[in-house]
Amino acid sequence: TPSESADATWRLAQIAELQGRRADALAGCEALAGELAEGARALGVWWAARRMRTRLWLQGGTPIPEVRAACQALHAEARAAGAADEAAWLLVMLSDAESRLGNARDAERLAREAVAEAERLPDLALHAAAVMRLGTTVLDAPTGGAGAGAHAGTPADAVPHFRRALELYTRAGDRQGQLRAHGYIGIACDRAGNHAAAEVAYGTALAIGREIGARLLVGVASSNLGVLLLKTGRFPE
């Protein structure tokens, strides 16, 4: 049936993204937005597939202003359709786009809006992703001066957000989300100079990545852990 075809295509696209096969993931999203749209709508993944397609465009090097414009259009469409959860997901993406454009204040504002929206909805994965995005804006915020930056904080200020996201991902049983949360806990602790906590977090992220076969994220976790060991003088490891 159309729904079964859409379901299989959606699952394969998610696996392809997790494995770092962007072209395959993008092809699946294009199909779900096009010829499989009927089944995708019936299945309830039509919005998510279009959002994922936009995310994959960003990963593939599409100029960030174009991606931001696409997200803004989808956000307006979701608002008009009363799709509150999708609108909140798109706020997360818009915050990411603003961060990439160097607009720290707007990135943090949008992340806080996403968290506020997510708190009113039952989707744990959405809530966790919004909290993760907020933590990332705090982590990357300028540490001094005025200008266009967000608040002047420290990397340690981001850790509670990432730990909150980890709690939410754990409640949702989302192993990929847990992997990302541990990875960002490691980055924040590393930047804050807490190398022992960073090593534990990176190691946990690496173990989860190997468990679920997330090759791209395994590479990131392994690289981060290797750099940390280099900085702490443990060259053979």
Side-chain angles (χ1 to χ4, degrees), residues 73-92:
L74 286 174
H75 182 258
E77 190 178 340
R79 285 284 191 206
D85 54 345
E86 184 61 25
W89 276 112
L90 286 159
L91 284 174
V92 174

Side-chain angles (χ1 to χ4, degrees), residues 19-39:
Q19 293 181 330
R21 294 185 287 110
R22 191 191 68 85
D24 292 339
L26 184 57
C29 290
E30 294 286 5
L32 291 161
E35 65 266 27
L36 294 177
E38 177 189 350

Side-chain angles (χ1 to χ4, degrees), residues 64-75:
I64 297 170
E66 292 183 23
V67 174
R68 179 177 61 180
C71 287
Q72 288 170 335
L74 286 174
H75 182 258

Side-chain angles (χ1 to χ4, degrees), residues 18-195:
L18 185 61
Q19 293 181 330
R21 294 185 287 110
R22 191 191 68 85
D24 292 339
L26 184 57
C29 290
E30 294 286 5
L32 291 161
E35 65 266 27
L36 294 177
E38 177 189 350
R41 285 178 182 275
L43 190 64
V45 302
W46 184 70
W47 287 104
R50 295 164 75 211
R51 172 167 33 90
M52 180 174 166
R53 178 178 63 176
T54 308
R55 182 170 68 246
L56 291 165
W57 286 342
L58 182 61
Q59 294 173 8
T62 299
I64 297 170
E66 292 183 23
V67 174
R68 179 177 61 180
C71 287
Q72 288 170 335
L74 286 174
H75 182 258
E77 190 178 340
R79 285 284 191 206
D85 54 345
E86 184 61 25
W89 276 112
L90 286 159
L91 284 174
V92 174
M93 286 192 65
L94 284 166
S95 172
D96 181 34
E98 294 294 350
S99 286
R100 291 170 185 263
L101 288 167
N103 302 326
R105 191 182 304 278
D106 287 337
E108 184 173 335
R109 174 182 57 79
L110 288 164
R112 292 190 182 280
E113 287 181 20
V115 171
E117 292 283 344
E119 285 174 344
R120 294 192 284 267
L121 297 166
D123 189 339
L124 287 175
L126 167 59
H127 192 181
V131 174
M132 280 284 289
R133 179 90 281 274
L134 178 57
T136 305
T137 67
V138 172
L139 179 64
D140 293 337
T143 56
H151 80 288
T154 67
D157 294 333
V159 175
H161 296 297
F162 295 138
R163 292 202 182 280
R164 173 60 175 153
L166 176 60
E167 175 194 344
L168 291 164
Y169 281 129
T170 300
R171 285 170 55 193
D174 184 341
R175 294 295 277 164
Q176 183 182 0
Q178 292 168 46
L179 188 167
R180 292 184 182 278
H182 280 295
Y184 272 99
I185 290 169
I187 292 170
C189 289
D190 194 354
R191 292 187 188 177
N194 188 347
H195 292 154

